[in-house]
Amino acid sequence: MFTLALSTLRARKGAFVGAFVALFCAAALVTACAALLETGLHGRIPTERYAGTPVLVTADQEVHWTSEKKGKTKEKAKPLTERAWLDAALTERLAAVPGVRAAVPELTFPAHLVAPDGRVRPGASWGHAWESAALTPYELREGRAPAAANEVVVDAAAGQAVGAAVTVQSTGAPAAYTVVGVAAPQGRVERQSSLFFAPAEARRLAGHQGQVAAVGLLTAPGADPAAVRRGAEAALAGTTAKVRTGEERGPVEFLDAGKARVSLVSLGAAMGGTSLLVALLVVTGTFALSVQQRARELALLRAVGATPRQLRRMVGREALVVGLLAGVPGSLAGLLLAGWMHGRFVAVGALPDTLELTVSALPPLLAVPATLLAAWGAARVSARRPARVHPTEGLAEAAQPKPGIGAGRLVAGLLLAAGYGALVYVLSGLRTEAAATPVTFLSVILAAAAIALLGPLVTRLATFLLGRIARLAAPAAGFLAEQNTRANAKRLAAVVTPLSLAVAMASTILFTQTTAGHAAREQAVAGTTAPYVLAASGPGVPGTAAETVRRVPGVQAVTEVLRTAVRAGQDKFPAQGVTPQGLARTLDPEVTAGSLDGMAEDTVAVSELAAQIKGVGVGDRLEVTLGDGAVVPLRVVAVYHRGLGFGDLLLPRAAVAAHVDVPLASSVLVAGTADRAALAAAVKPFPAVRVLDRAQVDAAREAQAGTQAQVNYVAMGLIIAFTGIAVVNTLVMATAARRREFAMLRLIGTTARQVRAMLRWETLTVVLLAVALGTAVAALTLGAYSAGMTGSGTPYAPPLTWLGVVGAAAALAFAATALPARAALRAHPADAIGARE
């Protein structure tokens, strides 16, 4: 059978091109997703700032909790959203460890050079005390170390000279400093800039009195770093501090990269699971069409004595050969695809460039067997009926396919349709994106699988109606199109399935983003009652700017808004720190219980979602873990509806500011009768701060939402591209295999023009049916998604975007039909009909 399989492949190369393309793309997609997943698990985060210290001590940068399930207790941990700080007293304890030449305390805080026009130099820029320059190490190229509070040493890359006067935006108001030195690192520091201050000034700007960001241990000559590490761990016994060496230093230097690992694991797993299911569906459909086209050949093999088992084994081995030929180059192409995706994620801000892509042999080693298994399984499933039926019946079906479907296929299709309905019901009750997203895409795939199984029944009903229209519009071509589509319902279903999947998947991916984003913007617009907003380039709006605006005549309330993320138990929530005084004048989160007037330093307002998840109401206590791990008990004073627009927790800003890396307000809301000119005059001493009106704020929200949506478009857009390739692949296969049919039509008097017209009507039928099915699936799925996420069963789907999806699907379908048809019609009919199949 293996020899026969190879002979078939050599003799029918064209018949297996479609399977090769499908498996190649599947292998590439699975490899790319696996590479991203591996990057999330083991991606390298290089050390720059701490390259000169072999042993680094930091606070524990994770939040821990205990989970009990089925009688088993598990310890779980997640990265903190902000930097946790160490007790500075530990520095002396660490200095006494044998083998330590010096224990150097490190302070890290945002510090940016501000141009005269208020622009902040792009990129990460951090302030440090000069005493910690040895951790890189940085060395002076010119000048001296800073000694006074108004002195600074700048990075050589800043382009400043000794004696220059510069403005620095750090954790408070912009301040003037004199450059007294220019320093450069001995190694490569490419992803951040550094400004060095006198120790006392650095401690003031860091705002963590009695604490340090880290302690670097410089080893004595000849000391063993491993022994120093063990000594440090012994010295820190009883504390939560962590000792890090080697590549462990990178994640605590670049905390955003460490946090991105967790997000990438979730993203890679979701993409990988979705792409694998889509690949299985596409590959199965491709092999099913290929087996349909070989029905006569398989029936003849049965007629000459081949057993059903031998037939299945032959088809399975053919698939393994094709899978191997496609899987190996496809997996190698997948590594290139993973590199492109990683670059796009960095470009749109979803990943920091400090998290490097992991390239190893593991993703291809996983993708190739997965491709082989998918090919073998798809071929075996597709060959079940041709192998099972009697040879005479098989030959009859090859000449005239049966219009119906088997009982097993019918039952399986109905079960999948019922499963889709159940998932849609579940989806309507899911109110978080993390829970809703995988269910959303699984629902679409399940619906597409049901369409694939029940397709012949659906297409016969649809073509009965559409065929009548075609006959009225074009009697000859319409009649031929109607007869062909009704007689070959299985072939039509095979091409409708990937096209409907493409429409459904594209619509779902696009409109989940627009639905959630539109609801969030609508809530934010409706709930922001302040007529003006202060915004700033760089780290944020200084508190002194807000204080200055408060003194402007006519200003009634000023609310500083500081965005962060916190945990309540093991649940993570987006949150905002807000100024309690006058909050009701600037914000209206649509309170449904309690009142914002009760906001104080030890209180919290929660969204309806957070209240439901944590089971709290007005007057209850809620223990909140802030960004740096500090745990604070708060009293719930209000429950509000607009959680999408304002986050799930509203906290007092003062309680949040001391526990975030950047304590400056992300925005400042201003209410009252003061005009824009008066506000602009008040913030003139702060060149980075701008006064925005409501229209400008709404436009900024629109741009921000578009940036966030790009992440998912890049992530899931490849799956859309894969389904698009599957559409083209299937249509080309289906059209190219009809060469003898076209020749017969021409021999009995049909012109080439009429054949092409017939194909256009057939393709139009396919497009209309696929668009209707795909849109129906997307509408039901999106309605359930919207009901769960926004409380409204009406998703936000811009009509022009939907028309773009439909237009793209139609263009693919017509191009993939017209081009192979023209090639098939070039041959003389007599030569074509006599050619070997």
Side-chain angles (χ1 to χ4, degrees), residues 440-607:
T440 301
F441 296 126
L442 180 59
S443 301
V444 174
I445 295 169
L446 210 61
I451 290 172
L453 291 173
L454 301 175
L457 295 180
V458 178
T459 53
R460 282 184 63 82
L461 292 174
T463 53
F464 178 78
L465 298 175
L466 295 173
R468 294 285 186 260
I469 299 174
R471 290 179 66 175
L472 292 174
F479 172 78
L480 291 173
E482 179 194 15
Q483 296 304 311
N484 264 320
T485 52
R486 292 186 65 186
N488 294 281
K490 288 184 180 179
R491 184 182 67 199
L492 185 65
V495 296
V496 164
T497 298
L499 191 57
S500 61
L501 174 62
V503 172
M505 188 63 75
S507 299
T508 302
I509 290 171
L510 291 170
F511 300 141
T512 51
Q513 302 306 311
T514 58
T515 297
H518 179 74
R521 290 194 301 274
E522 288 289 301
Q523 288 189 10
V525 169
T528 302
T529 56
Y532 297 107
V533 175
L534 305 185
S537 58
V541 182
T544 48
E547 287 298 327
T548 302
V549 168
R550 282 190 177 94
R551 294 192 292 269
V552 173
V555 171
Q556 298 172 348
V558 174
T559 301
E560 297 173 76
V561 179
L562 179 57
R563 294 184 176 87
T564 184
V566 300
R567 289 187 180 274
Q570 59 183 319
D571 300 301
K572 184 178 178 181
F573 296 105
Q576 292 187 3
V578 294
T579 310
Q581 294 79 17
L583 181 60
R585 290 180 176 271
T586 57
L587 281 183
D588 177 20
E590 197 173 330
V591 173
T592 56
S595 172
L596 293 180
D597 294 335
M599 285 284 288
E601 297 306 316
D602 61 344
T603 64
V604 62
V606 299
S607 69

Side-chain angles (χ1 to χ4, degrees), residues 198-294:
E201 178 69 358
R203 286 193 292 271
R204 183 187 73 82
L205 293 174
H208 289 265
Q209 294 301 319
Q211 293 182 309
V212 293
V215 178
L217 303 184
L218 305 181
T219 56
D224 180 12
V228 172
R229 175 172 184 154
R230 290 192 295 270
E233 289 172 342
L236 295 169
T239 72
T240 59
K242 300 293 182 182
V243 183
R244 308 176 193 272
T245 57
E247 292 192 355
E248 297 173 330
R249 297 168 298 170
V252 293
E253 178 179 351
F254 299 107
L255 290 179
D256 55 346
K259 291 181 285 188
R261 275 180 168 175
V262 178
S263 301
L264 197 57
V265 168
S266 301
L267 181 63
M271 281 185 60
T274 304
S275 61
L276 190 58
L277 291 173
V278 171
L280 284 172
L281 187 60
V282 167
V283 169
T284 302
T286 303
F287 271 98
L289 182 59
S290 177
V291 169
Q292 282 180 35
Q293 293 172 353
R294 298 172 57 197

Side-chain angles (χ1 to χ4, degrees), residues 44 46-49 51 121-126 136 138 155 157 185-194 253-254 353-354 356:
R44 181 174 175 268
T47 301
E48 291 187 353
R49 167 77 182 131
R121 183 182 176 186
S125 182
W126 301 98
T136 306
Y138 271 87
D155 196 317
Q186 284 190 0
R188 297 177 63 184
V189 179
E190 300 174 342
R191 297 178 172 92
Q192 57 185 311
S193 298
S194 295
E253 178 179 351
F254 299 107
D353 61 355
T354 48
E356 297 179 349

Side-chain angles (χ1 to χ4, degrees), residues 674-700:
D675 61 19
R676 185 173 181 176
L679 297 176
V683 298
K684 193 172 182 179
F686 308 93
V689 178
R690 296 171 298 143
V691 180
L692 307 179
D693 58 23
R694 293 289 298 275
Q696 291 172 313
V697 172
D698 294 346

Side-chain angles (χ1 to χ4, degrees), residues 290-312:
S290 177
V291 169
Q292 282 180 35
Q293 293 172 353
R294 298 172 57 197
R296 184 168 177 268
E297 171 194 328
L298 298 177
L300 284 172
L301 286 172
R302 288 279 286 118
V304 298
T307 66
R309 183 182 180 188
Q310 287 176 321
L311 211 61
R312 287 194 297 269

